[in-house]
Amino acid sequence: MNKKGSDIQNRTLGGRSMAQPKAAGELNAVQLETDLLKRWTDEKTFQASIDVRRNGAPFIFLEGPPTANGKPGIHHVVARTYKDLVCRWKAMEGFLVERKGGWDTHGLPVEIEVQKRLDLMSNEAIEAFGMAEFNQACRESVWTYEAAWREMTERMAYWVDLDNPYVTLDNDYVESAWWALKQMFDKGLLYRGHKVLPFCPQTGTSYSSHEVALGYKEVEEPSVYVKFKLTDDNASILAWTTTPWTLPGNVGLAVGPEVTYVRCRVKEAAGEHWEGAGGADVGEEVILAKDLMKEVLRHHVDIVDEFPGADLVGRSYEPLFPGAVPKGDSMTAWTVLEADWVTTTDGTGVVHTAVMYGEDDYNLGMEAGLPAHHTVDMDGSFVTGTHPELDGRYVKACDETIISLLSSPGGTNGKGPESGLLYREKAYAHDYPHCWRTDHPLLYYAMDSWFVRMTAVKENLLKFNDQVEWAPDWVGEGRFGEWLRNVKDWAISRERYWGTPLPVWRSESGEMKCVGSIKELQEEVAKAVAAGIANPDCTDDVDLHRPIVDGFTLLSDSGEVMHREPFVMDCWFDSGCASFAQWHHPFENEEVFNASFPVDYICEGVDQTRGWFYTLLAVSTTVFDQPAYKRCLSLGLILDAEGKKMSKSRGNIVDPWDHFNREGADATRWYMVTAGAPWNPMKFDPNGVRETYAKMFLTLWNVYKFHADYAALDAFDPEASSIPVAQRPALDRWVLSRLATVANDYHENFVNWQFHKAGRDLEDFVVNDLSNWYVRRSRRRLWDEADSNDKRSCQHTLHEVLLTVCRLVAPVAPFMVDEIHRNLTGASVHTAPWPAGVPGSLEGATSDAWDEAAAKATASLPPTDPELEATMALVRELAEAGRRIRIDGNRRQRLPCAQGWIVAGPELSEFHDLLAEELNVEAILVENDLDRFQRIELAPNFRALAPKARSSVNEVAQAIRAAEDPEALLQAIRAGGAEVLGVTVEESDVEVKRVERPGFAAQTVDVPGADGASLHVSLVLDMNDSPALLSKGMARDITRRVQAQRKAMDLELEATIDLEVWVVNGPAMEEADEAWVAAETRCAGCVFHPESSTPPEGAETFEVDGTTVHFTVA
RNA sequence: GCGCGGGUGGCUUAGUCGGUUAGAGCACCCGGCUGAUAACCGGGAGGUCGCAGGUUCAAGUCCUGCCUCGCGCACCA
């Protein structure tokens, strides 16, 4: 402690080699990070980190493109951290990891945003505004938050090329997407259909199932039981629906042919508990499934008849809303049909069928020849002619009207809605899909649509999915696999404006042409023009968006005029093309594409399972007959500290900048990675970030600072000298061994996607092993001004440990470790090799195969010494045991003990000095007579004992434990087995435990030995006092208080003081101890006053063990 | 409703092949240590390991049922 602070500056002024560390300053994490960002930009460090691996095997990462028309949040930081860390890690392993950015720019979210801003909440409004203008507004809106995204991306140090990103609205990208569609078209996988789809009247568009999945909400709605009056019989069939608005469209009733139905007659009026509208008269007859009578009927009835559903088939009934649906030439309208999917789990066992508003309804209607007529318009209102009270009204607003119409008993003969046809209404709670953008309930609606025949490639989807390495595996096997096993044809067309246009032209008679490139479009346009069809120019840079592409009119093979199908693509299709469209395949970059497909690694939130994870695979399977990616990390959702999902509407979004500006991006990233497994939902706790900063980064910084300051002071140059590890002191060999062990585990955990475990272990190493033990125990070694071997050894060791720690941390938290690495070596950590080896740089290596042994040989880790690690663990245990003994014996730490004995255990003489210091004892002795301080205990070994003792194992175990003379029992056992309660106990059935004898100031610690067996080592302290010990202890107490006072007075380290001390009622101070106090506290003058003199007013005072001490510092 | 993943002191979590004392961190209390650290060390309090059964000599761990949270699925007419 005799270094002068100013020396640190003075001595470093001379010529410093690149690798010669300079002193570290105080830590300002945010400043450090922002300074480094500048430096990375100036020095093009990202590019350098790629270039230095130019000859490595490629590892291909594909960025899932975010939409830049929303502000980035903390969940984006999480995803980007995992993307970044894997890329950085693989790069350090010697792989060439290029990272192209990407932006998703099409789709409904963009349109909705613009519609809101321009107040264009319907398709009519958009078209009146002008499609070209609208799309221009969309094109601009896409970049609203690009700057915010860029800032966040850079600040968090997500290394990705944002200057040459792929952008889904670019002509090149769209052209590749067109090409992909044409492949599907040519393979017969793209088809035009008429299908019932979930449809949002507000946005005027239908949704694919993965979009519908985003909007399920539980709602309570009125459901109704309706009486359908048979035309040729005085009875009604009861049917149930949760969507009263589909009733005007009713054209059929479906029954299960095998289901048993009953005809019953109402016996008496309903009781008083009747709720809501509807009812039935006494004597009225209704028909429904027998199983559901109890559930449905609210009257006492007599069963008149019982029959299978087949008996009902073909019978006709009165339309509910006569005239709402024209009968046309249908022979089956308003008759009973059979359908095998009808069950008796809900309703009445009779399914009301409105052809246009349900998938089953539609299929049944087509099969049975029911009239396909819409009673509802695309805007969600009833068409004129449905009923005077309903025409033109939004269907969801008509529930009450329909119920009241059906329950008013005004009509006659059961014809028309006002005929008392409502039997009952019942509130019904269920999950119903809502528009994920506007929150409006979706209507199932039969409409024109284009599909990709995913059902035709299901086997391949499953096969390719099996080839993907999923993390966690259950997402691939379970959730994603299940989705694929139930795959449906992909409805990819949207009746929208802003998106990749569907490149299909179609004639009135149904001839079709799918255009796969700009060149092809030009050729087709030329053909049409040659045939006399007027067309605008189709230049090489024609904008491939609406309304431009709508302006082209083509010619069919038979000479008919063809117009473009007025759809754009599902924007998920766009991003699903990313693996090849980012390279404008197949029009350009053939080599790049060939070398990078399929990609090695993608990573997104688990919510992309049905989104991007699926569409990437769907497109690659249909177009290339290959999987698109080899590894997929599926991240858990991010929740707030209460475990609630973060959402704008809840207002519990965490702003990443709060942490970037407080604890820094390092701490934020490290926290997110160590908080839990990547696939588990993460509760984001702002306090956790702070804790990470305080523990991990502050500690690391201080270790570094300790090393750097003395390295600078001593002009330490790691390259100027070297000391083989084997020749270094045990403490050094120990920390290096620990380092290697931790690094190997760290790497193993990375390989298994267990980044959280890796990080936790490394943090534990830095805080406990490195800072709290190695540095603490080594401090005095560096205080030595002489150029000793021991000091150099410590410096080399610290240097090496820090470098390896930096390299391990770098992928996760890239800032501070770069600062440290740069100062220690002159080079960025991001161009450094991965400590566990650099397989990517090996000749012939690929992203997933390399010579394991050759890779190991490239590792840069010190040797491990498990025995030494175990020994040191014991030493640390003993040091802690010493403190426990002192607590138990009420003896303060600063009061030395004359001696301490170590009983049993391995040879520790190498660490006796260290232990003496830690324990504050004058001498460490080894006690060879174990029985002097220890006795034995026997513990049963259940694994061995259980098979022999069976059900009496507990009694036997208890007997062994409670043996009055365990020593004798053990001897008997060793002599060939002892009978305990009829069981022969052998040596392998018991564990011998040595513990301290009662009555001594002792503790026994239990540590695993090198050979796996348990070691029982005791520490005994001599608790007797002597005048010399008391004097020494007092000297230490005084020193400690004076040092505290120096600190409180804010004195320079090298400042000298004048000290005066008055000890009242204390031990006689020995001269040597007084001198020691003076030296430790840097006294110019030091006076110990006799007890008779009186201390001045204002002297510092403290009390210890009944002694009062006063002192003054000047 | 079906599928997947959770539920361990106030909070965040570890817990391997089932093995008898469920382990950490934060926060709290007491004590100690400290001229690098926002730390560190020792002790204390705090747990019916979601609930109920079952298998077993032995269950946080395996089985069954249920409750609950999250996510996903869906032709609920």
Side-chain angles (χ1 to χ4, degrees):
Chain A
M1 74 174 58
N2 294 320
K3 296 289 190 192
K4 298 184 178 179
S6 53
D7 282 356
I8 292 174
Q9 269 74 41
N10 293 341
R11 284 214 231 160
T12 53
L13 284 178
R16 208 169 64 86
S17 86
M18 278 299 280
Q20 204 174 311
K22 62 174 190 290
E26 291 303 316
L27 176 62
N28 179 336
V30 175
Q31 187 68 43
L32 180 151
E33 292 182 2
T34 48
D35 287 352
L36 259 177
L37 284 172
K38 253 184 243 132
R39 203 159 165 189
W40 288 346
T41 308
D42 293 346
E43 298 177 4
K44 298 187 168 47
T45 309
F46 174 32
Q47 193 54 48
S49 80
I50 292 172
D51 290 340
V52 77
R53 284 112 191 181
R54 189 54 67 186
N55 296 322
F59 179 88
I60 311 298
F61 164 69
L62 179 59
E63 160 83 332
T67 313
N69 80 329
K71 231 181 171 172
I74 195 84
H75 49 299
H76 298 111
V77 178
V78 177
R80 301 196 143 213
T81 297
Y82 283 107
K83 292 177 183 186
D84 193 48
L85 88 83
V86 170
C87 288
R88 286 178 184 265
W89 165 46
K90 295 314 271 188
M92 290 179 80
E93 281 197 326
F95 292 95
L96 176 61
V97 191
E98 296 192 86
R99 289 152 256 182
K100 195 177 180 64
W103 298 107
D104 195 7
T105 54
H106 282 149
L108 199 56
V110 182
E111 290 196 35
I112 298 285
E113 199 63 32
V114 171
Q115 282 184 278
K116 275 186 191 150
R117 186 156 51 81
L118 300 179
D119 195 24
L120 303 169
M121 288 318 285
S122 72
N123 291 356
E124 289 76 27
I126 292 171
E127 279 165 33
F129 179 78
M131 201 196 297
E133 290 74 13
F134 178 74
N135 274 357
Q136 184 55 35
C138 289
R139 187 186 284 270
E140 285 158 16
S141 149
V142 158
W143 303 110
T144 309
Y145 291 103
E146 196 227 356
W149 272 88
R150 192 177 264 273
E151 276 175 51
M152 177 278 275
T153 302
E154 283 170 6
R155 181 63 186 84
M156 69 164 287
Y158 173 39
W159 272 357
V160 64
D161 184 358
L162 288 181
D163 297 325
N164 306 291
Y166 68 90
V167 181
T168 59
L169 63 73
D170 283 350
N171 253 18
D172 285 353
Y173 197 97
V174 172
E175 193 179 26
S176 288
W178 276 22
W179 170 82
L181 277 166
K182 190 176 169 66
Q183 306 312 301
M184 298 176 183
F185 187 85
D186 289 349
K187 291 179 185 176
L189 295 173
L190 188 66
Y191 69 94
R192 187 177 192 270
H194 195 64
K195 206 169 180 181
V196 173
L197 289 171
F199 171 81
C200 173
Q202 175 87 15
T203 60
T205 191
S206 59
Y207 289 116
S208 62
S209 45
H210 36 274
E211 283 169 303
V212 174
L214 298 170
Y216 272 92
K217 282 205 325 195
E218 186 171 341
V219 288
E220 192 174 90
E221 297 179 301
S223 71
V224 292
Y225 295 87
V226 180
K227 293 181 278 191
F228 289 86
K229 176 83 178 59
L230 291 168
T231 50
D232 58 353
D233 197 341
N234 196 18
S236 303
I237 297 179
L238 278 184
W240 180 62
T241 181
T242 56
T243 49
W245 61 269
T246 60
L247 286 171
N250 173 277
V251 282
L253 293 173
V255 296
E258 326 254 291
V259 175
T260 303
Y261 292 84
V262 288
R263 175 176 179 147
C264 17
R265 184 182 300 124
V266 175
K267 211 155 59 168
E268 54 192 66
E272 296 201 342
H273 56 277
W274 188 279
E275 278 177 19
D281 296 331
V282 175
E284 224 181 308
E285 294 183 4
V286 293
I287 297 168
L288 75 163
K290 189 182 182 190
D291 291 353
L292 290 158
M293 288 174 63
K294 269 208 186 87
E295 185 70 25
V296 174
L297 296 177
R298 285 295 173 267
H299 292 87
H300 290 291
V301 296
D302 293 319
I303 295 180
V304 180
D305 199 359
E306 188 173 320
F307 42 84
D311 289 7
L312 285 169
V313 174
R315 304 195 63 176
S316 64
Y317 62 90
E318 301 285 348
L320 278 191
F321 287 77
V325 178
K327 186 168 185 201
D329 53 5
S330 170
M331 306 297 291
T332 48
W334 303 294
T335 65
V336 178
L337 308 161
E338 63 170 87
D340 52 13
W341 42 262
V342 173
T343 64
T344 55
T345 52
D346 289 292
T348 64
V350 181
V351 177
H352 139 69
T353 301
V355 175
M356 307 305 272
Y357 311 109
E359 194 175 333
D360 282 334
D361 304 46
Y362 184 82
N363 294 337
L364 180 64
M366 290 298 106
E367 218 172 277
L370 297 175
H373 177 83
H374 269 299
T375 49
V376 179
D377 258 333
M378 296 281 283
D379 64 358
S381 65
F382 282 109
V383 300
T384 306
T386 304
H387 187 276
E389 288 195 39
L390 301 176
D391 292 355
R393 293 176 60 196
Y394 174 51
V395 295
K396 279 280 176 183
C398 289
D399 287 347
E400 288 311 314
T401 308
I402 291 168
I403 288 168
S404 99
L405 279 174
L406 290 173
S407 54
S408 49
T412 52
N413 303 327
K415 292 188 182 177
E418 299 93 339
S419 318
L421 294 177
L422 186 74
Y423 177 68
R424 204 186 141 196
E425 68 170 314
K426 187 175 95 177
Y428 184 72
H430 62 146
D431 288 331
Y432 192 83
H434 289 69
C435 175
W436 63 287
R437 296 303 305 179
T438 65
D439 234 20
H440 278 71
L442 300 179
L443 309 181
Y444 284 89
Y445 198 95
M447 56 204 319
D448 291 340
S449 197
W450 282 82
F451 298 88
V452 180
R453 211 181 299 278
M454 297 311 299
T455 46
V457 295
K458 180 169 151 181
E459 291 313 311
N460 278 346
L461 288 171
L462 290 168
K463 183 175 84 188
F464 297 150
N465 181 42
D466 276 349
Q467 296 166 15
V468 175
E469 179 188 340
W470 281 90
D473 49 17
W474 75 73
V475 168
E477 287 158 20
R479 184 175 294 197
F480 197 56
E482 190 197 337
W483 167 262
L484 295 179
R485 283 187 288 278
N486 297 319
V487 78
K488 302 264 160 54
D489 284 352
W490 179 6
I492 50 161
S493 63
R494 298 286 181 274
E495 306 73 23
R496 299 302 313 172
Y497 306 99
W498 179 239
T500 298
L502 179 73
V504 176
W505 273 257
R506 183 168 177 271
S507 73
E508 290 261 332
S509 68
E511 281 183 274
M512 290 191 269
K513 181 151 282 167
C514 182
V515 172
S517 68
I518 292 177
K519 189 156 163 268
E520 196 179 341
L521 180 62
Q522 289 172 324
E523 288 165 5
E524 291 299 329
V525 168
K527 228 193 291 177
V529 170
I533 301 172
N535 258 310
D537 280 350
C538 184
T539 56
D540 288 348
D541 61 349
V542 59
D543 176 27
L544 296 180
H545 282 96
R546 301 186 75 183
I548 308 294
V549 291
D550 297 330
F552 297 116
T553 310
L554 307 184
L555 192 69
S556 79
D557 290 344
S558 69
E560 278 187 77
V561 163
M562 296 194 296
H563 294 287
R564 198 185 70 81
E565 285 281 282
F567 300 101
V568 297
M569 307 298 301
D570 176 1
C571 64
W572 291 106
F573 175 80
D574 288 359
S575 49
C577 292
S579 58
F580 57 93
Q582 66 167 338
W583 303 116
H584 195 201
H585 175 82
F587 305 101
E588 283 186 77
N589 301 313
E590 244 0 67
E591 270 180 39
V592 185
F593 170 74
N594 288 334
S596 63
F597 185 88
V599 304
D600 285 301
Y601 171 61
I602 60 170
C603 163
E604 304 292 334
V606 67
D607 50 319
Q608 294 297 330
T609 310
R610 269 72 185 199
W612 200 50
F613 296 162
Y614 172 63
T615 59
L616 270 179
L617 183 65
V619 173
S620 73
T621 301
T622 49
V623 174
F624 295 96
D625 208 19
Q626 275 191 70
Y629 46 89
K630 297 181 192 166
R631 290 173 200 81
C632 180
L633 175 55
S634 159
L635 303 175
L637 261 99
I638 182 155
L639 311 169
D640 69 9
E642 261 101 62
K644 294 268 177 353
K645 193 171 170 175
M646 280 190 194
S647 70
K648 264 185 222 162
S649 53
R650 246 191 215 104
N652 56 354
I653 302 264
V654 172
D655 184 349
W657 288 91
D658 290 350
H659 295 289
F660 294 165
N661 290 331
R662 200 163 45 218
E663 297 93 356
D666 272 347
T668 310
R669 290 173 57 136
W670 189 265
Y671 164 72
M672 294 189 302
V673 171
T674 53
W679 44 82
N680 281 342
M682 188 203 328
K683 289 189 193 175
F684 190 93
D685 181 5
N687 271 331
V689 182
R690 177 153 194 85
E691 206 181 305
T692 292
Y693 169 76
K695 284 187 80 150
M696 177 67 183
F697 290 97
L698 199 56
T699 307
L700 179 60
W701 184 260
N702 281 310
V703 170
Y704 158 67
K705 185 169 152 55
F706 174 71
H707 171 56
D709 286 356
Y710 283 102
L713 186 58
D714 290 326
F716 169 69
D717 185 342
E719 282 159 23
S721 67
S722 74
I723 300 174
V725 171
Q727 290 169 28
R728 298 185 200 178
L731 187 65
D732 294 355
R733 283 184 281 115
W734 166 77
V735 77
L736 288 167
S737 174
R738 282 292 303 143
L739 174 76
T741 301
V742 168
N744 282 321
D745 291 351
Y746 190 82
H747 175 76
E748 245 350 270
N749 278 324
F750 261 48
V751 169
N752 295 316
W753 308 92
Q754 311 263 4
F755 305 110
H756 59 303
K757 286 189 183 169
R760 287 170 182 177
D761 289 352
L762 185 61
E763 183 170 327
D764 187 62
F765 170 78
V766 168
V767 172
N768 289 321
D769 293 336
L770 182 58
S771 171
N772 228 353
W773 190 250
Y774 181 76
V775 168
R776 186 160 69 77
R777 290 308 322 159
S778 294
R779 183 157 305 131
R780 278 174 189 273
R781 299 167 71 189
L782 294 194
W783 288 346
D784 186 359
E785 283 195 60
D787 192 8
S788 72
N789 215 47
D790 182 58
K791 183 172 76 178
R792 287 295 179 213
S793 182
C794 178
Q795 283 172 326
H796 278 290
T797 302
L798 266 174
H799 188 83
E800 290 155 16
V801 172
L802 277 168
L803 284 191
T804 297
V805 167
C806 285
R807 290 169 191 183
L808 294 172
V809 170
V812 182
F815 287 100
M816 179 186 286
V817 292
D818 195 33
E819 174 73 22
I820 295 175
H821 196 274
R822 280 166 183 266
N823 188 26
L824 296 185
T825 66
S828 169
V829 75
H830 303 299
T831 52
W834 185 242
V838 285
S841 66
L842 298 176
E843 189 74 31
T846 68
S847 61
D848 34 35
W850 56 81
D851 181 338
E852 202 52 61
K856 272 229 165 79
T858 60
S860 49
L861 291 171
T864 56
D865 182 345
E867 203 177 325
L868 178 58
E869 288 189 42
T871 304
M872 188 64 88
L874 172 59
V875 169
R876 294 176 71 176
E877 286 276 351
L878 289 174
E880 283 167 19
R883 290 189 202 107
R884 276 197 298 272
I885 294 172
R886 283 174 179 274
I887 301 256
D888 289 349
N890 198 20
R891 187 184 185 93
R892 67 185 205 273
Q893 188 67 31
R894 273 181 295 264
L895 178 58
C897 294
Q899 48 202 338
W901 295 269
I902 294 171
V903 188
E907 153 61 33
L908 293 176
S909 56
E910 198 168 14
F911 301 101
H912 280 187
D913 288 350
L914 185 160
L915 270 173
E917 209 171 298
E918 282 289 318
L919 296 169
N920 194 17
V921 301
E922 301 280 284
I924 295 282
L925 303 172
V926 174
E927 178 55 60
N928 290 318
D929 174 13
L930 305 190
D931 293 337
R932 180 172 168 201
F933 295 120
Q934 287 188 337
R935 64 192 169 84
I936 66 161
E937 274 180 1
L938 292 181
N941 176 4
F942 280 89
R943 248 184 250 270
L945 210 50
K948 286 192 216 176
R950 307 209 182 194
S951 60
S952 65
V953 66
N954 279 329
E955 288 75 40
V956 176
Q958 192 46 39
I960 292 171
R961 263 194 283 251
E964 265 182 43
D965 186 352
E967 194 74 53
L969 180 57
L970 179 61
Q971 269 171 19
I973 290 170
R974 287 203 169 131
E979 286 282 312
V980 179
L981 298 178
V983 175
T984 309
V985 178
E986 293 167 88
E987 198 162 354
S988 60
D989 297 331
V990 294
E991 233 179 286
V992 182
K993 223 184 140 177
R994 301 194 69 88
V995 297
E996 71 273 6
R997 281 190 190 280
F1000 289 98
Q1003 287 269 326
T1004 301
V1005 298
D1006 223 2
V1007 290
D1011 57 356
S1014 210
L1015 288 176
H1016 312 291
V1017 185
S1018 299
L1019 176 72
V1020 186
L1021 292 187
D1022 178 353
M1023 302 293 266
N1024 293 310
D1025 290 331
S1026 72
L1029 292 175
L1030 291 170
S1031 167
K1032 246 184 198 151
M1034 187 49 62
R1036 288 197 53 171
D1037 276 303
I1038 293 167
T1039 303
R1040 144 97 180 103
R1041 301 307 286 230
V1042 174
Q1043 301 289 36
Q1045 184 60 22
R1046 283 180 62 111
K1047 201 176 183 181
M1049 291 164 74
D1050 216 12
L1051 292 182
E1052 291 294 320
L1053 256 158
E1054 71 274 21
T1056 54
I1057 56 167
D1058 285 310
L1059 176 68
E1060 296 184 54
V1061 183
W1062 294 262
V1063 179
V1064 184
N1065 192 25
M1069 294 290 290
E1070 290 182 9
E1071 244 174 67
D1073 293 327
E1074 290 184 359
W1076 184 80
V1077 171
E1080 281 292 306
T1081 58
R1082 295 185 71 87
C1083 287
C1086 176
V1087 183
F1088 277 77
H1089 291 280
E1091 208 158 320
S1092 54
S1093 91
T1094 313
E1097 287 285 308
E1100 295 296 321
T1101 301
F1102 69 93
E1103 208 168 311
V1104 58
D1105 283 352
T1107 302
T1108 307
V1109 179
H1110 309 275
F1111 67 93
T1112 59
V1113 174

